[in-house]
Amino acid sequence: MQVSVVIPVHNGARFLAQTLRTLLNQTAPPAQIVVVDDGSDDDSAAVARGFGPAVEVIRGRFGGAAAARVAGVERTAGDALMFLDADDLLGMDVLEALGGVLARHPDAIACCDWMRYERIGRTWQARPASCPPRRPGQTPLQAWLTGWYHPPCAVLWSRAAYDRSGGWDPAVLVNNDGDVTMRALAAGVDLVQSARGTSYYRRLPDGAVSLSGRRFTADGLASRLAVLDRLSARLDGAGRADATRRALAEAYGNVAGDADAAGEARLAARAREGDARHGGTRAWDWRRRRADRLRRRDRVRLLQPVPSTGAVPSEPAAADAPPDPP
């Protein structure tokens, strides 16, 4: 199994070396690593080039992570693909474990367990995955639509599965990885869980869920609706809509609730139409109330005084990745 890893980076020099070390220290290292520097102003390209011929570097202005990944795929030769963010980490046996899954399921997507990796005080610590669990009886697509997921660092694509998905869509502004994965699942690609391996999805302090995030803007909400509309049309065309109808209704309802809370009445109405078209849920009301709580939390944070004194915690050294649990 020849694995190619594509890493988009924009001003990611701070963590990139640690990410690359976790790849090169794998029990089954990838055959190819392609770092796609999307217009960085920092030393990202120099950090990547410091690893010598083991890392290929592409530089340009691609216009976002999805477009950078598309450019990276064009340079790959492996029969399996991983799309790793420039700050995420892999346990030492992740590629070996996921490659073993694809050896048995050559047209599938392989996934492994994952944890958040976030800064708490002065140290980076592994914490439980931050998505709801997969509900009993759900297919992978139903679960993905209702909030369960695996980040790119915990996923290895067969080339065949990636091709069937249609590839990354740079026009999608929010949740690019969910879009490409759900299109693959809708096309009948299998998602197979590995019994081994753990990846670490780094959560930066400014990446916390907030109403200021892009998913709550008009453009972000419209993009989320477009993803669901396209997915619904594909499932209808394949005669598979009935199996995912309730999950799609919930997904539309979640967008409706977020749009309501963001004051985007037109988009909320569109999303509720999608919810009703797929059978209807109360997800939009729960989501609206959740978004209202986020707004109140954000308002409290903005009103809190900023300390004028006090030491800033030092950045921990870029050491080895956290080990896999036994």
Side-chain angles (χ1 to χ4, degrees), residues 79-214:
D79 47 6
L81 299 167
M82 174 173 277
F83 300 98
L84 186 62
D85 289 347
D87 55 4
D88 291 341
L89 307 172
L90 304 183
M92 290 182 63
D93 65 344
V94 165
L95 291 186
E96 180 182 6
L98 295 181
V101 170
L102 292 189
R104 299 187 297 274
H105 305 273
D107 297 329
I109 304 169
C111 63
C112 66
D113 288 342
W114 65 280
M115 301 183 75
R116 287 177 294 138
Y117 195 51
E118 62 184 41
R119 187 165 177 167
I120 300 174
R122 292 176 176 269
T123 63
W124 289 91
Q125 299 180 25
R127 309 287 286 178
S130 52
C131 67
R134 184 172 165 182
R135 302 170 194 170
Q138 281 190 321
T139 66
L141 179 55
Q142 291 167 342
W144 217 288
L145 281 163
T146 55
W148 175 85
Y149 67 92
H150 280 63
C153 61
V155 175
L156 184 66
W157 292 75
S158 67
R159 177 77 67 165
Y162 178 75
D163 289 343
R164 287 184 69 183
S165 76
W168 294 90
D169 183 354
V172 174
L173 303 181
V174 174
N175 193 20
N176 294 102
D177 55 308
D179 169 60
V180 69
T181 304
M182 289 190 295
R183 281 190 277 117
L185 297 175
V189 173
D190 290 330
L191 180 70
V192 184
Q193 175 82 34
S194 170
R196 296 188 297 119
T198 303
S199 293
Y200 300 85
Y201 178 71
R202 193 185 298 267
R203 183 173 181 174
L204 300 175
D206 58 359
V209 174
S210 168
L211 280 179
S212 62
R214 195 172 194 180

Side-chain angles (χ1 to χ4, degrees), residues 16 25 28 42 73 90 132 143 201 212 225 231 239 245 275 277 282 293 297 306 309:
L16 181 58
N25 290 336
D42 67 359
V73 169
L90 304 183
Y201 178 71
S212 62
L225 277 176
L231 186 65
R245 191 170 300 281
D275 173 50
R277 191 169 65 249
R282 295 294 295 176
R293 289 195 298 272
R297 184 202 68 183
V306 177
T309 60

Side-chain angles (χ1 to χ4, degrees), residues 1-7 23 28-35 54 56 72-84 95 102 152 155-159:
M1 176 72 60
Q2 297 292 302
V3 175
S4 294
V5 180
V6 176
I7 305 175
L23 281 173
Q32 183 182 21
I33 302 171
V34 180
V35 172
E56 180 181 353
V73 169
E74 293 174 356
R75 301 288 281 268
T76 59
D79 47 6
L81 299 167
M82 174 173 277
F83 300 98
L84 186 62
L95 291 186
L102 292 189
V155 175
L156 184 66
W157 292 75
S158 67
R159 177 77 67 165

Side-chain angles (χ1 to χ4, degrees), residues 16-63:
L16 181 58
Q18 188 179 12
T19 297
L20 290 170
R21 278 197 293 273
T22 70
L23 281 173
L24 296 172
N25 290 336
Q26 289 288 298
T27 55
Q32 183 182 21
I33 302 171
V34 180
V35 172
V36 186
D37 184 358
D38 187 13
S40 293
D41 299 319
D42 67 359
D43 294 330
S44 295
V47 169
R49 288 181 176 135
F51 285 83
V55 178
E56 180 181 353
V57 180
I58 304 171
R59 299 197 72 183
R61 293 193 178 275
F62 301 99

